[in-house]
Amino acid sequence: MKEEILNRIEYLKDCKGTKETKLENLGISTYDKIKNIISNPNKILTHLYIPQGSEEKAKALETRFKEVFNVDIDPEFLSFYRCFDGFELRYVNPKEAWSEIDVEDINIDWSEFNISPEKISYNDIYKQEYEEIKLAFFALIGLDEDQTSYHRLTDGNKANDFLFYDENIEVEEYGVKTLIPPADFFLSKENKIDVYGTDSVLFYFNFYSSFAQRVYGIHDNKLGVYIAGDAAAEIIKDPIGNEMRLYFKKFLIRPE
């Protein structure tokens, strides 16, 4: 499976962003990041969909960006979309998730087993007699033991609707997810956020959980990356900083 995944993303090695930007070598750094994830025995890749970008779509986004924000697009932003037409990746560390959950939340009838929720360990669920518990735990954290790693996080049949994001919202954030929309959806009206009572112009950028998503646009008269909390009812500063290059460095270039 590992070699099959690496063969599938081989093209990333040759993907280049804009020269002399932080994302010039985004393709190979992303390839290495995914390789590190699938080489880690404690991590399970559940979703991977990174379509190749194009100069045509990047140019169209550059024009749209100017129309919406009345400034030139950030070079790192353009580099990303030259490489990728969106980015969908999710992986889970089951052992770590087990330590974070309330075991009693696993949807099974504990009376059917000879062990109580307080006594069972992560290693126990791999015993044959606790197979049902393991599968119920996997379902809780969004992990299908038999699934391939090519699943999309989005619904490609709903590309012109907010439902494009599907029902993939992270359950209690047990998984690690990056979900960046394709170039032609990013600044579309369907992806725009209504922030009542403000002059903000914001669009979903990384839809990674049910509690908060990273968004991009103008807020408090400043263009950059923000966090939208409580179903976008609250827009707050991003602790990593407002610049796109800092965001990409932390969440895309950083090795796993």
Side-chain angles (χ1 to χ4, degrees):
M1 174 64 77
K2 177 180 174 181
E3 290 304 317
E4 184 180 349
I5 293 172
L6 292 178
N7 289 338
R8 192 181 179 92
I9 61 172
E10 185 76 17
Y11 80 91
L12 295 179
K13 292 181 177 180
D14 299 320
C15 172
K16 291 287 186 180
T18 306
K19 289 185 178 180
E20 299 181 1
T21 69
K22 295 292 184 181
L23 271 65
E24 179 177 356
N25 297 311
L26 177 60
I28 187 64
S29 66
T30 301
Y31 178 91
D32 290 342
K33 181 173 184 173
I34 294 170
K35 184 177 180 180
N36 288 340
I37 291 172
I38 63 179
S39 299
N40 188 328
N42 295 318
K43 294 177 180 178
I44 298 177
L45 187 67
T46 64
H47 295 77
L48 177 63
Y49 180 71
I50 310 175
Q52 198 160 3
S54 70
E55 190 64 30
E56 181 182 3
K57 286 193 173 184
K59 283 291 186 183
L61 178 62
E62 186 175 21
T63 299
R64 174 67 176 153
F65 194 96
K66 185 79 170 183
E67 292 172 353
V68 174
F69 299 120
N70 199 32
V71 295
D72 291 332
I73 194 169
D74 186 299
E76 273 76 22
F77 227 140
L78 202 56
S79 279
F80 171 83
Y81 279 108
R82 281 190 173 122
C83 279
F84 311 137
D85 191 25
F87 193 98
E88 304 179 19
L89 181 144
R90 179 184 184 267
Y91 64 91
V92 179
N93 183 327
K95 188 173 184 179
E96 185 177 288
W98 179 270
S99 68
E100 295 176 355
I101 68 167
D102 184 340
V103 176
E104 292 186 357
D105 287 342
I106 298 176
N107 187 24
I108 56 168
D109 183 355
W110 285 97
S111 66
E112 296 181 358
F113 301 93
N114 62 353
I115 193 169
S116 67
E118 296 82 13
K119 298 290 186 180
I120 193 167
S121 70
Y122 175 75
N123 290 332
D124 286 334
I125 67 175
Y126 289 91
K127 297 177 182 177
Q128 185 174 357
E129 62 264 37
Y130 301 133
E131 174 79 6
E132 186 179 340
I133 297 175
K134 182 186 74 173
L135 294 178
F137 165 62
F138 281 179
L140 177 65
I141 63 174
L143 176 60
D144 181 346
E145 189 177 31
D146 297 322
Q147 76 182 113
T148 68
S149 298
Y150 309 139
H151 287 197
R152 293 186 62 170
L153 287 163
T154 58
D155 186 343
N157 296 319
K158 299 175 180 176
N160 296 317
D161 193 302
F162 182 74
L163 294 176
F164 163 79
Y165 288 113
D166 207 4
E167 296 180 0
N168 66 81
I169 296 175
E170 203 58 68
V171 179
E172 301 295 337
E173 301 187 39
Y174 292 133
V176 177
K177 179 170 67 178
T178 301
L179 172 48
I180 298 174
D184 56 3
F185 186 72
F186 170 44
L187 296 180
S188 68
K189 63 180 182 180
E190 292 81 10
N191 198 42
K192 189 176 180 181
I193 304 166
D194 291 323
V195 186
Y196 297 104
T198 74
D199 294 327
S200 299
V201 180
L202 297 167
F203 298 84
Y204 287 111
F205 182 65
N206 186 357
F207 203 87
Y208 62 90
S209 84
S210 57
F211 306 110
Q213 302 87 35
R214 277 193 166 80
V215 299
Y216 185 87
I218 297 172
H219 182 66
D220 287 340
N221 298 314
K222 188 170 183 179
L223 181 65
V225 188
Y226 297 89
I227 294 176
D230 192 17
E234 180 184 22
I235 307 297
I236 59 177
K237 292 180 179 179
D238 193 321
I240 69 168
N242 198 252
E243 296 180 49
M244 183 54 66
R245 64 181 181 83
L246 298 175
Y247 177 83
F248 281 130
K249 182 178 180 180
K250 181 175 177 62
F251 289 96
L252 287 180
I253 298 176
R254 183 184 61 178
E256 290 294 328

